[in-house]
Amino acid sequence: MFHPFRRPALAAAFALALIPSAGSAAPPNQPPATAGAEAAPLDPAYEALIGAMEAGVDQQAAYDGLLASVAREYAKVPEFAQIEAAKPGFIDAVIAAIRPTMIAYSERVRADYRPRMQAVLASHLTPAEARDVAEVYLSPPGRKMMAGVSRNVSADSVVSGIGTALADGREADDYEVTRAQVETDMRRTMGAVLNELTPADFAEFARIAKEKPAILKMQAIRPDIMALRTKMENEQPNAEESAKLEEAVVAVVTRIIGG
């Protein structure tokens, strides 16, 4: 009965790093990179660009935000809510227990999808453009923006409904994350980030865009990123990860209320 979420939101920082324009419309669905594109040798500039995007991200802060969303879903499960009411801090203890495996799972999936992310970037940017965009993300305003993503990351929409599914006795595996949910969380995250930026920050971004116009191509890349990000969100933990998550939750339940 007390099984963990088997579809935790991923902290795919390199996907979150592709900042959409404020208020931009949701793009049409497009397929992710193909297997052939993944296998093709790519210029190192694309890996360097992903590294530049990640450089300003506080991964632990991002995981904090994502796991907070999972905790809110746990609170929707009646059994968990009842224990929390009787033993305040129970849900926090569960989140702390599953955190190491959740992070390992997320890192594994991010590594699996890294070549696909490079292929997406390569389909829109030349190596020279990728190097220019990397410089933007490594600039002070670029790093400030990515730090804001870390602080404000949300997965409420992506994980919404999983708690209800568990409460209804259905497997969380049967819950499919949609493109619209990913878009909703992205807009929520970026709205919070943009609210933190000052007029001086926006002026600096405008100046940099004139010097490095390739950064303006990032909006065109966004549909492919959203398609890939949605696919990532639907990746399942493997058998070992699922077992560890289950064991962690059972251990907390046993410690707090007994076996």
Side-chain angles (χ1 to χ4, degrees):
M1 176 170 61
F2 297 107
H3 55 292
F5 284 102
R6 300 174 66 187
R7 180 79 50 67
L10 302 175
F14 48 83
L16 287 174
L18 299 178
I19 309 301
S21 299
S24 60
N29 288 322
Q30 293 187 16
T34 63
E38 294 169 19
L42 296 174
D43 191 285
Y46 303 108
E47 168 60 24
L49 173 52
I50 293 175
M53 293 174 180
E54 294 175 328
V57 174
D58 181 340
Q59 286 289 357
Q60 295 308 310
Y63 284 125
D64 287 343
L66 294 166
L67 287 168
S69 294
V70 174
R72 287 189 284 274
E73 283 299 298
Y74 269 129
K76 297 178 183 178
V77 182
E79 293 89 348
F80 275 65
Q82 291 169 9
I83 299 173
E84 179 67 27
K87 303 285 186 179
F90 165 71
I91 291 177
D92 285 344
V94 171
I95 294 300
I98 67 175
R99 182 185 179 102
T101 302
M102 294 270 278
I103 291 176
Y105 157 61
S106 177
E107 293 295 331
R108 175 182 63 78
V109 174
R110 289 177 61 208
D112 288 346
Y113 275 74
R114 203 175 186 94
R116 306 187 200 190
M117 185 62 65
Q118 293 181 43
V120 167
L121 295 171
S123 70
H124 292 271
L125 301 170
T126 67
E129 288 173 332
R131 287 188 285 271
D132 279 353
V133 174
E135 288 185 25
V136 175
Y137 280 109
L138 291 173
S139 70
R143 293 176 73 95
K144 179 178 180 178
M145 182 171 283
M146 298 321 303
V149 169
S150 306
R151 290 190 300 273
N152 294 287
V153 63
S154 169
D156 285 355
S157 182
V158 164
V159 302
S160 66
I162 297 181
T164 302
L166 293 175
D168 291 344
R170 292 179 283 122
E171 286 290 336
D173 291 357
D174 297 332
Y175 178 77
E176 183 176 358
V177 175
T178 68
R179 166 80 166 264
Q181 289 173 295
V182 175
E183 291 277 3
T184 296
D185 282 334
M186 179 71 80
R187 287 193 296 270
R188 182 180 294 118
T189 297
M190 293 317 307
V193 171
L194 293 174
N195 284 336
E196 293 181 351
L197 299 179
T198 67
D201 292 326
F202 287 110
E204 181 64 6
F205 275 117
R207 184 192 65 78
I208 291 175
K210 289 182 179 179
E211 293 184 356
K212 306 288 185 182
I215 190 65
L216 301 177
K217 287 191 172 185
M218 300 308 282
Q219 180 63 12
I221 298 175
R222 186 172 179 271
D224 287 352
I225 293 298
M226 289 296 98
L228 193 59
R229 173 70 188 280
T230 302
K231 190 174 178 64
M232 291 174 70
E233 292 290 357
N234 284 292
E235 287 290 341
Q236 299 290 334
N238 59 33
E240 180 181 1
E241 291 160 348
S242 293
K244 287 182 176 179
L245 290 169
E246 183 103 21
E247 291 169 5
V249 175
V250 170
V252 173
V253 173
T254 301
R255 184 177 77 248
I256 292 181
I257 66 171

